[in-house]
Amino acid sequence: MTSAGAGVHAWVDATAGVAGDMLLGALVDAGAPLAVLQGAVDAVIPGSIRLASALVTRAGMRATKVDVHLAVRDQAQRSWRDIQALLERADLAAGVREQVRRVFRRLAEAEARVHGLAADEVHFHEVGSWDSIADVVAVCAALDFLGVTSMSCSAVALGAGRVVTSHGHLPVPVPAVLEMAAGWRVLSGGEGELATPTGMALLTALSQESCDLPAMSMRTVGVGAGTADIAGRPNVVRVVLGDRGDPPGQPDEPVIMSVLETNVDDMDPRVWPTVLSSLLAAGAADAWLIPIIMKKGRPAHTLAVLAPVHRRDLLRRLMLELTSTIGVREVAATRVALDRFWVPLQVAGGQVRLKVAHRGGEVVHATPEFDDAVEVAAERSVPVRRVLEEAVAAAEREGFVPGSQVQPGSA
C-alpha cells in the first residue's frame, strides 16, 4: 500500500462475510478504475481473464459486483512456488507485488498447517485458479491506486454448515479459514460459507487490527456484492475510506503490547531469516534476535517478538512451530510509536517507497524502503547505495525532510 500525502485508512465491514470478489467490488465502487486493475492482472496472468463490473442490489442495498470471466478453462493446480514465479516476472509496482506475496504467503502457511506440509509444498486448488489470483492482484492494485496505507476490519462472519471443495465435503468454516482466523474477531453470521480462504487471507494479511469503525475523517464508502442475493441480509462487503491522522499537538498514546521471548541453542542458524520474516508477515510489530551464551557455554539466540495483543496467541504458536523451542515467556510492554505513511518516489529506473514518520503533522524521519532500492538496483545493475541516494534526493525535492509539515490526507 503506497500513497502520496499522509495516506488513507481503509476499514472493511465484513460482518456479512468476505470473499475476494466482494472486497474487489467494494474497492471498485469506492473509485478504483477497472482498467487499472485489469492492467495489473494482465501483468501477472496475461490474456487469461477479463474483469467486468455491474451495479446490482443485495437485499435492497445497492452494490458493485465484479465478475472474473475466464479465457483459459483448463485449471491446473498451482503451488506457492508457482505463484511466486508468476509474481517475479510480472511488471507490477513494488508495493503491489509485496502485498500480493503477503496474501498468498498467508494462504500457503494456513494450508501447510492444515495438511501437515511445508509451505513451499502446498498446491492450491480453488485459491490457485486464475480467478482467485486475479482477485488478489486486483485488490492489492486497487488499494495502491486509492492511496491506502493502513487497513483494519470488523469482526468477520464465517458462516456455518458444510461446503463441497476439491478435498470433498468440508465443515464451514473450512480449515484454512479457521487457521487464518486465529487472533481475529469472528462470528457465525448465518448459514453457508460466508468467508472464503481468499477473502480471509486478504483481510488478515493486509489489516493491522480487528476493530469497530475507527475515528476518522471519512472520504467515501464502497459497497461490493457477493454472488447470492439473500432475503433479509445484504450479502455485501463495505469499505470505508478516510483519514486517521492525529490533530497537531495531540500527545502520543501508549499502546499495550506483549513481548514474547524464547532462548534457542539447537537450531540451524540459516533458518532464522525465514523465522523472522514469517513472524512479521503474521502481524508482529517487530521481531529480532539477540546473541547470548547459555549454560555450559553454549552459543544461542534469544528470539524476541513485539506482538499486538490480538495477535499474541497466533505469534506464540508460530514461535513454537517455527523453532525448536519448547516454551515462550511473555511480558506486557507499552509502546509509543510515531504515525507513519508511505510516499512512492520515482527514481531513474523504478519506484522506491519513502516511509515518513511524523508527530502532529511534522516530519520526524523520512527513510527510503531498502527492499525497494535493492529491487531497482538489481534491475539497473547499479549499487544499492546509488539508488538510496537518488531516493533521498527525490524526497528532499518533494519536501519530505525532518521539520517540514505534512497535511494528513493530502495527495
Side-chain angles (χ1 to χ4, degrees):
M1 302 178 191
T2 60
S3 172
V8 177
H9 183 78
W11 179 74
V12 180
D13 176 8
T15 52
V18 65
D21 62 334
M22 295 171 73
L23 183 54
L24 178 56
L27 294 168
V28 170
D29 197 51
L34 210 62
V36 171
L37 311 187
Q38 181 73 61
V41 173
D42 287 342
V44 180
I45 45 176
S48 297
I49 67 98
R50 178 175 61 84
L51 299 175
S53 66
L55 290 178
V56 299
T57 59
R58 294 291 180 261
M61 180 180 289
R62 182 206 64 82
T64 293
K65 178 75 170 71
V66 173
D67 291 308
V68 176
H69 298 287
L70 298 177
V72 178
R73 295 293 174 183
D74 234 355
Q75 294 297 323
Q77 294 181 15
R78 290 163 196 88
S79 69
W80 170 215
R81 189 180 292 110
D82 296 332
I83 293 174
Q84 289 186 85
L86 288 173
L87 294 175
E88 288 298 329
R89 295 192 296 266
D91 182 16
L92 290 173
V96 175
R97 180 184 289 108
E98 180 52 37
Q99 297 293 341
V100 176
R101 278 200 192 108
R102 184 180 301 176
V103 174
F104 275 106
R105 185 184 305 118
R106 182 94 173 114
L107 271 168
E109 290 172 351
E111 294 284 358
R113 286 193 292 273
V114 168
H115 299 294
L117 302 170
D120 280 349
E121 297 173 0
V122 168
H123 278 75
F124 296 121
H125 299 281
E126 287 86 357
V127 297
S129 60
W130 290 146
D131 51 346
S132 293
I133 295 173
D135 285 343
V136 173
V137 173
V139 164
C140 294
L143 292 169
D144 181 74
F145 180 88
L146 294 169
V148 173
T149 56
S150 61
M151 194 166 102
S152 59
C153 66
S154 70
V156 185
L158 302 184
R162 301 186 73 81
V163 66
V164 179
T165 74
S166 59
H167 294 292
H169 287 76
L170 294 179
V172 174
V174 297
V177 166
L178 273 185
E179 283 290 334
M180 290 183 282
W184 297 81
R185 298 187 306 157
V186 299
L187 50 101
S188 173
E191 286 294 316
E193 186 183 24
L194 303 185
T196 67
T198 302
M200 201 67 186
L202 283 162
L203 280 190
T204 59
L206 302 180
S207 296
Q208 286 77 53
E209 59 179 323
S210 175
C211 62
D212 296 329
L213 179 65
M216 65 167 75
S217 298
M218 284 180 52
R219 293 189 179 194
T220 189
V221 178
V223 184
T227 301
D229 189 4
I230 304 167
R233 186 180 68 81
N235 183 25
V236 299
V237 163
R238 296 186 298 169
V239 174
V240 180
L241 300 181
D243 307 310
R244 293 186 70 182
D246 293 330
Q250 180 171 316
D252 298 319
E253 289 291 336
V255 176
I256 302 297
M257 304 189 82
S258 293
V259 176
L260 308 175
E261 289 186 344
T262 188
N263 296 341
V264 181
D265 66 355
D266 58 350
M267 199 169 81
D268 188 332
R270 293 174 296 180
V271 176
W272 282 121
T274 64
V275 172
L276 294 175
S277 63
S278 295
L279 290 165
L280 292 169
D286 202 355
W288 62 95
L289 289 176
I290 304 170
I292 59 172
I293 300 296
M294 291 180 63
K295 60 186 177 183
K296 301 180 182 179
R298 294 177 183 167
H301 289 90
T302 294
L303 170 63
V305 178
L306 183 61
V309 172
H310 73 281
R311 304 295 284 165
R312 63 184 178 184
D313 291 342
L314 170 63
L315 292 167
R316 186 189 304 111
R317 187 178 71 182
L318 278 178
M319 292 172 71
L320 292 168
E321 291 179 357
L322 298 173
T323 73
S324 57
T325 190
I326 58 174
V328 176
R329 56 188 176 271
E330 176 179 347
V331 296
T334 57
R335 180 197 192 208
V336 177
L338 296 173
D339 288 330
R340 75 288 306 268
F341 59 87
W342 295 92
V343 176
L345 298 174
Q346 298 302 321
V347 298
Q351 178 178 284
V352 174
R353 291 171 295 167
L354 182 75
K355 182 163 65 175
V356 181
H358 66 100
R359 179 189 292 114
E362 180 177 311
V363 175
V364 179
H365 306 293
T367 309
E369 176 61 28
F370 185 76
D371 287 345
D372 291 359
V374 170
E375 186 172 328
V376 173
E379 291 173 354
R380 293 171 48 191
S381 299
V382 300
V384 176
R385 172 182 54 81
R386 184 183 304 175
V387 178
L388 289 171
E389 290 171 350
E390 292 175 8
V392 169
E396 291 174 349
R397 288 195 301 271
E398 295 291 333
F400 292 105
V401 295
S404 63
Q405 293 294 313
V406 295
Q407 298 298 319
S410 63

